[in-house]
């Protein structure tokens, strides 16, 4: 019984970690370029709704593609505002997430009757989802550590003036990184609903985008560590679900908060040794940074 309990908890941990891991990998790309995307939670919501709609039309694989496309579209909007227009990145990201919560709820309620359970969709097994996570991890790691494009992206976040002096267009690099990172964020939202969950509900991401943001800092902007942090979050989330089913006098709200509390503690411990990109959230104007 203990073995079955442990295996079931581990399986649940992997299932819960998958969307957080992909979202965190996307945010690693964006932040390494110098853009702080606090709109990740909203991007995941749009990706989840697009993924659910796409899956209803053409199955879960189309749902994943729809989520990827919706995330890229969100990234294009955010890049326009934060990189081209140079709006405040913190305010822009927060406003985008607040807009996404309302917009996805409204769009969903236009299609489905309030009070009735939404129809379920065909779900992908955990095996394809884990393979996707590993493929994204390998791709992000290879890009950042083994390619010239990765070096330029990192330079845009650490020394944008030097990258500009070498002839690279910092705004173009940051825009591309924002679109790519948000595309992965939208894919993460789609994986959430096209996986074992199999449906979309209001605010389905439940703060997972914020957790992914925290895990990027916890991981010190390293892809492998970001995935490891997502597994830690998934394990705590799976544990709290199991603990809720046990006979205890502890209020269930305490168990609900457990994975988020562990994430905060881990973040505080790791933040002391943070390797924050030097130009993170600092707009770049050609010839000077401000």
């Amino acid at each position: 019984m203990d073995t079955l309990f442990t295996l079931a908890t581990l399986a649940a941990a992997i299932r819960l970690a998958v969307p957080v891991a992909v979202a965190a990998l996307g945010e690693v790309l964006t932040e390494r370029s110098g853009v702080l995307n606090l709109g990740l939670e909203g991007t995941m919501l749009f990706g989840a709704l697009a993924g659910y709609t796409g899956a209803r039309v053409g199955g879960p694989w189309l749902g994943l593609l729809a989520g990827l496309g919706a995330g890229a579209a969100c990234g294009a909007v955010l890049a326009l505002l934060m990189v081209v227009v140079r709006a405040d990145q913190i305010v822009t990201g927060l406003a985008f997430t607040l807009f996404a919560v309302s917009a996805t709820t409204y769009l969903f309620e236009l299609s489905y009757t309030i009070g009735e359970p939404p129809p379920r969709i065909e779900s992908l097994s955990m095996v394809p989802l884990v393979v996707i996570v590993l493929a994204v991890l390998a791709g992000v790691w290879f890009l950042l550590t083994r390619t010239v494009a990765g070096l330029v992206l990192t330079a845009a976040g650490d020394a944008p003036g030097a990258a500009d002096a070498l002839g690279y267009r910092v705004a173009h690099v940051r825009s591309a990184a924002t679109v790519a990172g948000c595309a992965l964020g939208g894919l993460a939202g789609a994986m959430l609903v096209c996986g074992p969950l199999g449906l979309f509900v209001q605010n389905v991401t439940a703060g997972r985008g914020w957790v992914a943001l925290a895990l990027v800092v916890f991981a010190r902007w390293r892809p492998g560590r970001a995935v490891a942090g997502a597994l830690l979050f998934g394990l705590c989330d799976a544990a709290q679900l199991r603990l809720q089913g046990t006979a205890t006098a502890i209020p269930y709200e305490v168990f609900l908060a457990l994975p988020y509390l562990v994430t905060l503690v881990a973040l505080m411990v790791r933040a002391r040794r943070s390797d924050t990109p030097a130009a993170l959230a600092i707009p770049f104007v050609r010839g000077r940074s401000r």
Side-chain angles (χ1 to χ4, degrees), residues 254-269:
V254 175
F255 296 130
L256 286 175
L258 177 62
Y260 302 96
L261 289 174
V262 171
T263 302
L264 285 174
V265 171
L267 176 62
M268 289 187 292
V269 171

Side-chain angles (χ1 to χ4, degrees), residues 89-258:
Q89 295 181 13
I90 295 176
V91 174
T92 301
L94 291 174
F96 183 82
T97 292
L98 291 174
F99 167 74
V101 172
S102 301
T104 53
T105 300
Y106 174 71
L107 292 172
F108 184 68
E109 290 178 351
L110 283 178
S111 304
Y112 306 100
T113 304
I114 299 175
E116 293 185 2
R120 297 190 67 86
I121 57 176
E122 180 185 353
S123 300
L124 289 171
S125 70
M126 282 308 302
V127 175
L129 297 180
V130 171
V131 170
I132 292 173
V133 173
L134 295 177
V136 172
L137 171 60
V140 171
W141 174 84
F142 184 82
L143 172 68
L144 292 176
T145 63
R146 295 292 185 271
T147 67
V148 174
L151 292 176
V152 173
L153 186 148
T154 301
D158 281 327
D164 180 68
L166 290 173
Y168 296 105
R169 305 298 292 269
V170 173
H172 292 178
V173 173
R174 289 183 171 183
S175 295
T178 302
V179 172
C182 285
L184 291 180
L187 176 63
M191 291 172 74
L192 179 63
V193 299
C194 294
L197 185 60
L199 54 81
F200 180 91
V201 295
Q202 181 180 359
N203 198 26
V204 67
T205 52
R208 287 174 173 83
W210 300 113
V211 172
L213 281 162
L215 290 179
V216 172
V217 181
F218 165 80
R220 297 167 66 185
W221 291 268
R222 302 294 192 274
R225 294 175 182 176
V227 173
L231 287 173
L232 173 63
F233 171 81
L235 183 61
C236 293
D237 205 4
Q240 67 88 10
L241 290 173
R242 298 286 174 178
L243 289 172
Q244 285 187 50
T246 61
T248 176
I250 301 175
Y252 80 95
E253 291 86 356
V254 175
F255 296 130
L256 286 175
L258 177 62

